[in-house]
Amino acid sequence: PNKPVMYFSSLLVGLLIPFIIIYVKNLLDTKIHNREDLESVLNSIAIIGEVPRLSGKEKILITRNDRSILSESFRIIRTNLEYIRRSSTVEKYSNVVCVTSTINGEGKSFFSTNMALTFANTDKRVLLIGADIRNPKIDLGPLNQKKKRVSKIGLTEYLSDDSVLIGEAIETYEVGNTKIDVLLSGRVPLNPAELLMSDRMEPLFDKVSDQYDYVIVDTAPSMLVSDTLLFSHYAGHTVY
């Protein structure tokens, strides 16, 4: 064999193989990795912001006058969401925002809690509703509750018991100098879908949308169960 030609051919093939593997891998990759990937496929849906990944040592709850990257990212989202809300034609429930995602563990409760706190830091009246009654994830342990006890009355109890008033199910919590009202999910019911179709849902959203400047609703994963779709018409806007 012609040794120089063989050496050159082997070197060329050795350089091409990694590039071919990388090209094929990227060609078959259909996952969303960054904002640009979203913008390339979404033309009519607004991207209101990006939330950074946190390390284990960072705070997961935003406080007043917080200057962290997490806090600034939620301020950007708050500004963009408010711009969308003001420029939209939605009249009823325009201050009600549902938060959902595809599956569990994608950060709905984390986002809902911090979004509610970000709005509350502007001295607005904010209500956070835990509407994922199948798998409640809102963790208020780190919060300094105004009352010493944790209410056993939540959304489930309000929907299933006609004698329970809305005010009885809402508790006030405090983070730093920021106050926020919370309607927890309550106990896990046997019939969550049927319960969320209750006639008491509309009076609930009618009242809280009038009493509060913003209502943030933490909902169930929209691709796993139908719970979110059952009351999504009470939300003026949806954050996915």
Side-chain angles (χ1 to χ4, degrees), residues 214-235:
Y214 297 95
V215 179
I216 309 298
V217 187
D218 179 38
T219 68
S222 58
M223 293 299 176
L224 295 182
V225 292
S226 61
D227 295 6
T228 303
L229 299 177
L230 296 176
F231 59 91
S232 60
H233 53 283
Y234 296 123

Side-chain angles (χ1 to χ4, degrees), residues 177-193:
N177 297 322
T178 303
K179 292 183 179 180
I180 178 176
D181 287 348
V182 181
L183 173 57
L184 293 174
S185 304
R187 71 176 188 275
V188 178
L190 298 176
N191 55 339

Side-chain angles (χ1 to χ4, degrees), residues 44 72-73 85 87 111 127 171 173 179 190-191 194 236:
S44 58
E72 292 299 334
S73 69
R85 193 177 75 87
S87 60
F111 180 90
L127 174 66
E171 293 284 352
Y173 290 78
K179 292 183 179 180
L190 298 176
N191 55 339
E194 289 75 12

Side-chain angles (χ1 to χ4, degrees), residues 101-138:
S101 71
T102 306
I103 59 175
N104 285 328
E106 293 185 312
K108 293 182 301 300
S109 301
F110 166 80
F111 180 90
S112 301
T113 304
N114 281 299
M115 194 72 261
L117 290 172
T118 304
F119 278 115
N121 285 337
T122 60
D123 297 323
K124 301 292 186 181
R125 291 205 64 198
V126 180
L127 174 66
L128 174 62
I129 299 179
D132 186 0
I133 59 177
R134 290 177 186 264
N135 188 24
K137 286 294 185 179
I138 293 180

Side-chain angles (χ1 to χ4, degrees), residues 5 13 17 40 56 111 121 149 167 174 197 207 212 226 238:
V5 174
V13 172
I17 289 176
S40 65
F111 180 90
N121 285 337
R149 64 180 180 82
E174 190 170 334
M197 296 174 64
K207 185 170 183 178
Y212 291 90
S226 61
T238 299

Side-chain angles (χ1 to χ4, degrees), residues 15-49:
L15 290 174
L16 285 176
I17 289 176
F19 287 104
I20 293 174
I21 294 175
I22 293 172
Y23 174 77
V24 173
K25 185 178 179 180
N26 290 334
L27 195 65
L28 299 177
D29 184 13
T30 58
K31 293 183 178 180
I32 299 294
H33 296 282
N34 49 45
R35 184 184 183 123
E36 288 71 25
D37 290 343
L38 278 176
E39 291 175 338
S40 65
V41 295
L42 299 180
N43 298 319
S44 58
I45 301 177
I47 300 175
I48 61 174

